Amino acid sequence: MMDKTQKYFDKLTIRFAGDSGDGMQLSGKLFANAAASSGKIARTFPDFPSEIRAPEGTLYGVSAYQVNFGKEDVHTPGDEVDILVAMNASSLKTNLKLLKKGGIIITDTEGFNRKNLRLSQYEESPLESGELEEYNLLALDVTKNIQQELSNLGMSPKNIKKTRNIYVLGVVFWLTGHDISSTANWLKEKFGKKPEMLEANLKVLDAGYLFGQRFEGLPEQFIIDDASMQAGTYRNITGNEATALGMVAAAENAKLELFLGSYPITPATEILQFISSYKSFGVRHLQAEDEIAGICSAIGASYGGSLAFTTTSGPGLALKVEASGLAVMTELPLVIINVQRGGPSTGLPTKPEQSDLLMSVWGRHGESPMPVLAAASPGDCFHMAYEASRIALKYMTPVILLTDGYLANSTEAWKVPDLNMLPKVEVQLADPAEPYQPYKRDDDTLSRKWAVPGMKGLEHRIGGLEKADITGQVSHDPDNHQLMVDLRQQKVDGIANDIPLLKVEGDTESDCLILGWGSTYGAIESAYKILNEKGVKVAKAQLKYINPFPQNLGDVLKNYDKVIVPEMNKGQLATMLRAKYLKEVIQVNKVKGIPFKAMEIASEVEAIIQTETELV
Amino acid sequence: MTNILEEISKSCGCDTTYKPADFKVENDVRWCSGCGSYGILSQVQKILPELGVPKEKFVFISGIGCSGRFSYYVDTYGFHSIHGRPIAIASGLKLARPDLSVWVATGDGDCMSIGGNHMIHACRRNINLNVLMFNNEVYSLTKGQYSPTSQQGQVTKSSPLGVLEEPFVPAGLALGSGATMVGRGFDRDAAGMKNMFKAAHDHQGLSFIELYTNCVIFNDSAFDPFTSRQSRKEHTVNVEHGKPLVFGENDDKGIIMDGFKPKVVSLADGYSVSDFLVHDQHDVALAYIIAQMSYHNPELPRAMGILQSIVKPSYDQLTEAQIAHEQEAKGKPDVQKLLRGKDSWVVE
């Protein structure tokens, strides 16, 4: 065995790409888990077609999973790829443009047979044509290697083929200096009841690792130091799982039952799936017949005294609009989670966008104010779901939480919070000893008290018709309607006193602020680092509360000559800022169904600053 | 997690001796004078004291339309909701709070049209709700357009030349959707309504009760053949479990089965009551046949009463059972452990 050298990096990006059936999502997830549990910071992004299983080998059937990992400053899944795993010709063709010049390609030569080449529309094999000269090509005969490795097990060729992704993962583990133990443990749990598959997978994992060690085509290992993370318990978590857990934690701390009424819709469906597996926690759910029944059943459960929520994505939010107005009118606590995807109509089901902001803030009939929050990272989905619940219960109001397909599916290492250290969740329950006035309000919060069926002596009727102040009787009185409209607005506006001020970071002396919201957080963080290293002075801030805005937002905007607002839409936050603060802001928009790259934001910001300077 | 519910159960009354007046509201009831809904309201208020349920555990959820106002008119917990959605709201409430007695007041427009999807799925799930569908075969609160139960040819404001569509048979739709209890009655029949309301309350699962409700303004007397004293006996048959299907002015007619077709026969033709079809409320095929009688053959009488009542576990019972099973299998819930997950690691 020849000596291998070790090269050190701050961070690396690996992209696992292959056919939809090649198990690339799994390879990516297992790699991310191994990287994170060995002390790196990892961010991931799955990129898959909306078809379940497109025909094998085709360009449109390619599924990919990207992992960016390093010891610090890992806030996105990475702009450019260092190591590309491409299991077949189509996955190479569609992903090569993401690979850095000089980057490594790992392929299975079997994936470049005549049929695969035809489907990928290569005239001749790129492995032989010389067109990959600018890269380090490692064309492995994965299929042959695993066949040899598993020849004694008497497995079908089909089942043998299923282990290709694990073999390649073994190779990548060696290449990046990770040990295979976390994946081996995962396999033991997964295939506990299928000893043959377990043995096969463990064998090929090991074989892939050893192959890397011995193969002369792999002279170097790419090593990253462990991250210096705060002490604590960590796990990798996706935005969707974090959202589900945030709701469970809020219910626990509020001492309420949790109820979810939901209809499956990409990319929100997983939240329903997670919740449905929490039955032992007493969590109840209804997979409703449609989106409207989803939110309505949650309103019913809320009326009954549960912490109730509904989950959806854009088209579903559109259907929930009338019922969300009912929740506004009845002033019941409710959390509406919208995992945004590309629109309009069915749009891009598996791709993220931030284009439901205006619908969330204003998209109901009548004057129908509703708090709107946005999560900034996968782990932050937990805290914002918890925060949405806290606000909903304290202020007796429906609250919309915006996440998106990118947060929903990507992972980050998340410090597991201590339930006892989370903010207090107050419930505005009516006092059975006092006569009940359904629309009598708390002086500070303006919230009404919650009287739940079963509370003796507090029987009352509520509903969607306008309510008389205090008594809650049906009222069509013009002055009363004006008063109630004003009160509902004041209640929501007042929440600004109960949320954190916007924190500006970076070079606060600069005259340029990058202001983002939601999932652009990571790209803005990384863009800021890039600009900082170049000596470009900018400040940055991320909005997580959009209705109401933080109290200091107007002052923050005044402090900067140039406010640059990157959004994955045509300028929805920018519109709101102009409308409310009469502040001209500079838009940076991308509506491609893919998140911003850090470099895109950095270069746009740099160009804006330079243009302004030249004009002076 | 529960604490709110514990508080409630502490405060909940054991006193279940009420009078109908205890369920009457102080505010005015604002239906048109002569509206059939008054009759339904009055029977509901009469039956509630007899059910042995603390007053604060009743909830009435209604949709939109004249029937939608119902929830304002019963002095207990009530929720007047939005177009077509009361069943969806009631489903969430019942799942969250199986301890409550949940009633839905809905209309033929609310339930069969905009809310049709929720209605069929609630039947399929067999959620333990009591659904009272006020059927006046017209849209009244929007002032006189045809509804999904309007008769073909019916002239309304939106069908000046007559309705072209076939109407739904509400009871048939409920049966076809898997409702476990289905009944049919009418606003003038106090005894029949009381009997069905009591049965609906006792029934564990979805009870769907269609009630012909006279609209004095837009569809007056539409149900007279089935509901007026003069013609009722000739045009309706009261079905009762284990009893033969006898009807007619002098109880001289009956139904027999000719293959799968019900047929009217008369004692005068030499038939005896023992020849008549006997109602079996547990027979789902028979219920469907009886529910359709008179819709496609006007010679047949329309069936009133409990058409079907079968016992199947309700969705809310199954949910509670699943939770109990999971809690037994997995032990005491530990949310902190759930947050940690399976693949966590510790940084010192």
Side-chain angles (χ1 to χ4, degrees):
Chain A
M1 193 172 83
M2 64 175 284
D3 278 343
K4 306 251 181 177
T5 56
Q6 294 187 326
K7 246 186 180 172
Y8 285 82
F9 288 82
D10 289 337
K11 56 185 160 193
L12 278 175
T13 303
I14 301 189
R15 190 168 172 95
F16 295 86
D19 199 62
S20 293
D22 282 341
M24 290 297 101
Q25 302 295 321
L26 180 61
S27 294
K29 272 180 216 164
L30 291 173
F31 181 82
N33 281 345
S37 59
S38 74
K40 279 91 176 173
I41 303 169
R43 285 294 301 265
T44 71
F45 183 57
D47 187 3
F48 47 87
S50 64
E51 291 80 13
I52 299 302
R53 190 68 60 85
E56 272 179 46
T58 56
L59 290 164
Y60 46 87
V62 173
S63 170
Y65 195 100
Q66 189 163 313
V67 185
N68 186 22
F69 64 108
K71 62 184 253 189
E72 57 188 0
D73 291 329
V74 177
H75 304 289
T76 74
D79 284 7
E80 285 186 306
V81 174
D82 299 290
I83 301 170
L84 174 64
V85 173
M87 297 298 281
N88 65 5
S90 282
S91 58
L92 179 68
K93 192 165 208 175
T94 50
N95 286 284
L96 189 60
K97 59 181 180 290
L98 301 169
L99 185 64
K100 266 181 195 160
K101 294 282 178 278
I104 295 174
I105 302 168
I106 299 174
T107 67
D108 179 5
T109 50
E110 180 67 21
F112 290 78
N113 63 26
R114 198 183 301 167
K115 187 184 169 197
N116 278 312
L117 291 173
R118 178 171 52 78
L119 288 169
S120 60
Q121 296 163 20
Y122 272 117
E123 306 243 319
E124 63 180 307
S125 173
L127 306 184
E128 289 151 16
S129 66
E131 67 188 90
L132 301 176
E133 262 176 6
E134 293 171 290
Y135 307 97
N136 287 307
L137 175 63
L138 298 169
L140 316 180
D141 204 339
V142 175
T143 305
K144 202 177 100 196
N145 293 354
I146 57 174
Q147 273 165 353
Q148 277 173 1
E149 202 61 44
L150 303 179
S151 60
N152 299 332
L153 294 184
M155 288 169 70
S156 69
K158 197 177 154 196
N159 276 346
I160 288 178
K161 205 184 159 195
K162 278 186 189 163
T163 64
R164 286 161 84 220
N165 62 332
I166 300 296
Y167 181 89
V168 172
L169 187 59
V171 177
V172 174
F173 277 150
W174 181 82
L175 192 63
T176 53
H178 286 93
D179 75 56
I180 58 172
S181 59
S182 82
T183 294
N185 289 339
W186 185 87
L187 289 169
K188 280 172 197 161
E189 189 154 321
K190 165 85 178 168
F191 292 114
K193 287 175 189 156
K194 291 182 183 171
E196 186 189 65
M197 285 306 284
L198 174 61
E199 190 184 352
N201 277 291
L202 288 174
K203 270 191 144 181
V204 297
L205 178 65
D206 214 23
Y209 189 87
L210 288 173
F211 179 88
Q213 211 171 44
R214 291 174 189 153
F215 180 51
E216 296 191 357
L218 285 174
E220 293 166 333
Q221 270 184 305
F222 299 83
I223 305 297
I224 290 172
D225 284 342
D226 292 348
S228 49
M229 292 167 100
Q230 241 186 333
T233 303
Y234 287 81
R235 65 182 289 199
N236 271 341
I237 199 159
T238 64
N240 274 346
E241 186 168 9
T243 303
L245 292 179
M247 294 306 301
V248 175
E252 173 78 4
N253 282 358
K255 297 189 171 64
L256 296 175
E257 303 271 355
L258 184 64
F259 179 92
L260 170 63
S262 177
Y263 187 73
I265 182 169
T266 304
T269 310
E270 268 183 332
I271 302 173
L272 167 66
Q273 290 170 187
F274 281 115
I275 288 291
S276 67
S277 70
Y278 302 156
K279 277 253 161 75
S280 66
F281 294 87
V283 175
R284 286 163 179 78
H285 76 286
L286 180 69
Q287 180 177 313
E289 55 275 17
D290 59 30
E291 295 283 357
I292 298 171
I295 185 170
C296 284
S297 62
I299 290 172
S302 169
Y303 181 63
S306 292
L307 171 58
F309 75 121
T310 187
T311 50
T312 192
S313 186
L317 186 68
L319 286 168
K320 292 183 197 293
V321 160
E322 188 198 9
S324 50
L326 176 66
V328 171
M329 186 57 107
T330 51
E331 303 196 38
L332 285 168
L334 177 72
V335 177
I336 302 167
I337 292 163
N338 177 15
V339 186
Q340 298 167 96
R341 69 191 216 185
S345 188
T346 315
L348 306 174
T350 60
K351 310 291 180 189
E353 218 166 86
Q354 294 183 306
S355 48
D356 298 340
L357 181 65
L358 295 182
M359 172 163 73
S360 301
V361 177
W362 287 317
R364 281 166 300 282
H365 103 105
E367 291 290 341
S368 185
M370 196 183 292
V372 177
L373 313 183
S377 73
D380 190 45
C381 289
F382 174 90
H383 297 284
M384 294 315 281
Y386 188 94
E387 183 69 346
S389 307
R390 182 188 74 83
I391 290 172
L393 291 165
K394 181 168 175 182
Y395 293 89
M396 293 291 285
T397 177
V399 176
I400 292 184
L401 170 62
L402 296 173
T403 72
D404 62 39
Y406 166 50
L407 297 179
N409 293 313
S410 66
T411 68
E412 72 174 331
W414 175 61
K415 191 172 174 213
V416 178
D418 180 345
L419 270 176
N420 299 320
M421 303 297 280
L422 292 168
K424 196 167 169 245
V425 185
E426 295 169 50
V427 176
Q428 308 300 309
L429 210 58
D431 181 353
E434 287 175 15
Y436 184 55
Q437 300 275 23
Y439 280 73
K440 188 169 183 286
R441 292 169 194 280
D442 178 88
D443 291 341
D444 294 331
T445 60
L446 294 183
S447 70
R448 70 183 196 90
K449 298 276 186 238
W450 203 6
V452 171
M455 295 175 82
K456 191 178 161 74
L458 307 189
E459 294 88 346
H460 67 286
R461 273 69 58 196
I462 57 170
L465 288 169
E466 180 62 286
K467 297 289 167 287
D469 184 33
I470 300 175
T471 67
Q473 297 288 339
V474 173
S475 167
H476 299 303
D477 176 68
D479 293 333
N480 177 71
H481 182 52
Q482 179 78 55
L483 175 66
M484 293 302 274
V485 166
D486 293 344
L487 283 170
R488 287 187 287 262
Q489 186 67 53
Q490 282 166 25
K491 179 172 87 164
V492 171
D493 290 346
I495 295 170
N497 300 318
D498 195 12
I499 59 173
L501 296 177
L502 182 68
K503 204 168 133 198
V504 181
E505 294 170 299
D507 194 335
T508 49
E509 298 300 305
S510 156
D511 64 356
C512 179
L513 172 73
I514 311 177
L515 179 64
W517 69 276
S519 75
T520 55
Y521 170 76
I524 291 172
E525 281 295 304
S526 300
Y528 169 76
K529 271 272 163 354
I530 294 167
L531 291 166
N532 200 29
E533 278 164 18
K534 287 182 154 189
V536 181
K537 288 179 188 294
V538 284
K540 63 184 164 73
Q542 198 73 5
L543 278 169
K544 300 208 290 183
Y545 298 83
I546 298 181
N547 194 35
F549 284 129
Q551 272 182 333
N552 64 334
L553 179 58
D555 291 335
V556 167
L557 294 176
K558 268 186 225 150
N559 284 342
Y560 295 89
D561 287 347
K562 290 183 275 292
V563 176
I564 301 173
V565 183
E567 295 179 85
M568 293 194 284
N569 59 41
K570 292 294 286 173
Q572 299 194 9
L573 177 66
T575 300
M576 288 183 68
L577 296 174
R578 289 184 191 116
K580 185 166 169 84
Y581 300 104
L582 303 178
K583 168 81 181 182
E584 186 44 53
V585 297
I586 304 163
Q587 293 179 207
V588 173
N589 302 112
K590 176 175 177 178
V591 199
K592 294 185 174 182
I594 40 176
F596 275 108
K597 290 179 177 176
M599 188 52 87
E600 288 171 336
I601 294 177
S603 52
E604 288 267 8
V605 169
E606 201 177 6
I608 290 162
I609 291 173
Q610 274 171 2
T611 314
E612 298 282 323
T613 315
E614 278 161 23
L615 287 175
V616 173
Chain B
M1 285 183 206
T2 333
N3 258 17
I4 208 180
L5 298 184
E6 282 168 17
E7 298 260 327
I8 290 165
S9 65
K10 267 186 262 160
S11 81
C12 196
C14 308
D15 176 17
T16 54
T17 53
Y18 305 103
K19 298 179 293 300
D22 294 326
F23 291 95
K24 287 189 176 147
V25 287
E26 283 174 19
N27 49 306
D28 292 336
V29 178
R30 295 198 194 171
W31 285 312
C32 310
S33 39
C35 174
S37 302
Y38 284 101
I40 300 170
L41 175 62
S42 161
Q43 292 317 312
V44 166
Q45 286 165 336
K46 277 190 188 151
I47 194 74
L48 294 181
E50 297 176 18
L51 299 179
V53 175
K55 182 180 163 181
E56 61 274 13
K57 289 232 171 182
F58 286 112
V59 184
F60 282 81
I61 298 187
S62 58
I64 296 297
C66 299
S67 64
R69 304 303 167 96
F70 194 90
S71 54
Y72 291 122
Y73 302 151
V74 187
D75 189 2
T76 179
Y77 282 94
F79 196 140
H80 174 227
S81 66
I82 45 174
H83 308 74
R85 318 301 172 194
I87 291 177
I89 292 170
S91 297
L93 176 62
K94 184 67 188 177
L95 285 183
R97 295 288 306 280
D99 59 311
L100 299 173
S101 175
V102 182
W103 297 70
V104 173
T106 180
D108 45 313
D110 197 57
C111 185
M112 300 272 109
S113 202
I114 185 168
N117 202 21
H118 312 308
M119 180 258 172
I120 60 175
H121 286 278
C123 291
R124 174 178 72 85
R125 291 187 186 110
N126 196 31
I127 294 190
N128 193 4
L129 303 174
N130 307 307
V131 178
L132 309 182
M133 191 190 93
F134 296 41
N135 185 7
N136 58 16
E137 296 190 352
V138 73
Y139 282 168
S140 293
L141 207 66
T142 51
K143 299 195 172 159
Q145 302 77 29
Y146 66 95
S147 90
T149 56
S150 293
Q151 298 303 304
Q152 199 171 42
Q154 190 172 322
V155 172
T156 72
K157 281 192 185 162
S158 57
S159 60
L161 307 179
V163 170
L164 298 174
E165 298 152 42
E166 284 281 348
F168 268 132
V169 178
L173 185 64
L175 289 165
S177 308
T180 45
M181 183 191 154
V182 177
R184 185 189 284 147
F186 55 94
D187 50 11
R188 291 173 176 173
D189 180 14
M193 280 194 285
K194 276 186 75 172
N195 179 38
M196 278 194 290
F197 296 166
K198 178 96 180 11
H201 172 77
D202 293 341
H203 179 71
Q204 296 297 309
L206 189 124
S207 312
F208 178 88
I209 298 176
E210 178 191 12
L211 297 163
Y212 293 145
T213 313
N214 190 43
C215 173
V216 285
I217 309 296
F218 296 108
N219 204 14
D220 194 20
S221 307
F223 302 108
D224 274 3
F226 308 119
T227 63
S228 75
R229 288 207 182 282
Q230 294 78 9
S231 57
R232 189 193 294 180
K233 292 206 81 174
E234 280 297 315
H235 289 98
T236 68
V237 58
N238 289 311
V239 299
E240 211 176 318
H241 183 63
K243 302 256 174 82
L245 271 63
V246 180
F247 73 107
E249 195 57 52
N250 304 307
D251 288 335
D252 54 348
K253 293 182 192 166
I255 306 291
I256 62 161
M257 290 300 283
D258 177 9
F260 291 107
K261 280 187 209 152
K263 189 171 136 186
V264 175
V265 294
S266 163
L267 294 179
D269 298 333
Y271 285 92
S272 74
V273 172
S274 61
D275 297 325
F276 295 167
L277 182 61
V278 173
H279 183 48
D280 177 357
Q281 67 185 22
H282 309 313
D283 185 335
V284 294
L286 184 65
Y288 193 74
I289 290 169
I290 291 177
Q292 300 285 337
M293 284 197 313
S294 90
Y295 276 88
H296 306 292
N297 176 2
E299 283 180 10
L300 289 164
R302 193 154 291 192
M304 302 288 177
I306 297 169
L307 306 180
Q308 176 180 290
S309 180
I310 55 173
V311 179
K312 281 186 182 177
S314 69
Y315 187 101
D316 32 307
Q317 285 172 329
L318 292 171
T319 298
E320 295 312 302
Q322 246 181 13
I323 288 173
H325 179 266
E326 281 286 286
Q327 287 181 337
E328 202 179 321
K330 293 185 178 166
K332 200 169 165 269
D334 180 346
V335 173
Q336 189 65 54
K337 200 173 147 199
L338 179 70
L339 299 188
R340 268 202 309 278
K342 283 183 185 161
D343 299 323
S344 63
W345 67 92
V346 176
V347 174
E348 303 288 344

